[in-house]
């Protein structure tokens, strides 16, 4: 499976962030919980190639390509399925893998752009609660 996202940060900064083991929790969904131990091996980075690879499950690779302060980040995973969040629900293993990859990309984007983006670890106090000119309530005067 392969997915990509554009991040409004220089490629060197994105690469350094991905290559730092302390940031694994921001992009590897199974490590989002604090009590889960971080792997101490299995992450390889190649600055010249712009790749960060990992061998722990699910094995994969980030490819970083940037131009003029904007980075295209590509996520490649060696498998196309994952365990569904709710095994009794309608989500297929393929959907679960896709949703997990999308969550990892969005989390990285919000962390690197410092834009919030719904990531629970980032809070953006200066952002209005009125999205697209609509009130969050039924009262249009609020």
């Amino acid at each position: 499976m392969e997915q990509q996202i554009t991040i409004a940060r220089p490629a060197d900064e994105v690469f350094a962030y991905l290559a730092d083991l302390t940031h694994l929790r921001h992009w590897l969904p199974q490590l989002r919980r604090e009590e889960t131990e971080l792997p101490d091996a299995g992450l390889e980075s190649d600055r010249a190639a712009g790749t960060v690879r990992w061998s722990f499950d699910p094995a994969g690779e980030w490819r970083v390509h940037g131009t003029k302060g904007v980075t295209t980040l590509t996520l490649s995973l060696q498998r196309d399925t994952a365990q569904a969040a709710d095994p009794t629900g309608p989500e297929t293993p393929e959907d679960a893998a896709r949703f997990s990859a999308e969550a990892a990309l969005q989390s990285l984007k919000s962390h690197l752009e410092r834009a919030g983006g719904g990531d629970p670890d980032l809070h953006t106090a200066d952002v209005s609660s009125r999205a697209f000119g609509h009130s969050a309530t039924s009262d249009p005067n609020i």
Side-chain angles (χ1 to χ4, degrees):
M1 171 188 3
E2 188 170 290
Q3 291 189 20
Q4 63 181 219
I5 198 165
T6 303
I7 299 174
R9 303 302 302 159
D12 287 344
E13 182 180 331
V14 173
F15 181 86
Y17 192 89
L18 289 169
D20 184 342
L21 280 171
T22 62
H23 296 136
L24 282 177
R25 290 189 199 282
H26 299 166
W27 57 265
L28 197 61
Q30 64 264 39
L31 297 178
R32 297 286 304 203
R33 297 182 60 158
E34 291 296 324
E35 64 270 10
T36 306
E37 289 190 33
L38 294 173
D40 56 2
L43 189 71
E44 299 175 11
S45 58
D46 181 343
R47 185 172 294 279
T51 59
V52 176
R53 291 185 183 97
W54 61 94
S55 57
F56 42 85
D57 192 39
E61 172 185 80
W62 291 111
R63 287 189 307 274
V64 179
H65 175 72
T67 56
K68 299 181 182 177
V70 176
T71 300
T72 300
L73 180 61
T74 304
L75 170 61
S76 296
L77 296 174
Q78 291 183 3
R79 63 180 178 166
D80 293 333
T81 61
Q83 184 176 354
D86 177 4
T88 63
E91 184 178 77
T92 67
E94 291 80 10
D95 289 340
R98 190 178 77 252
F99 297 153
S100 180
E102 289 169 2
L105 288 164
Q106 287 297 327
S107 180
L108 276 169
K109 182 177 179 74
S110 72
H111 277 86
L112 285 158
E113 292 180 350
R114 295 166 184 79
D119 193 292
D121 294 334
L122 291 176
H123 303 285
T124 328
D126 59 343
V127 174
S128 169
S129 64
R130 291 178 61 121
F132 306 107
H134 297 286
S135 173
T137 70
S138 59
D139 184 350
N141 296 319
I142 294 180

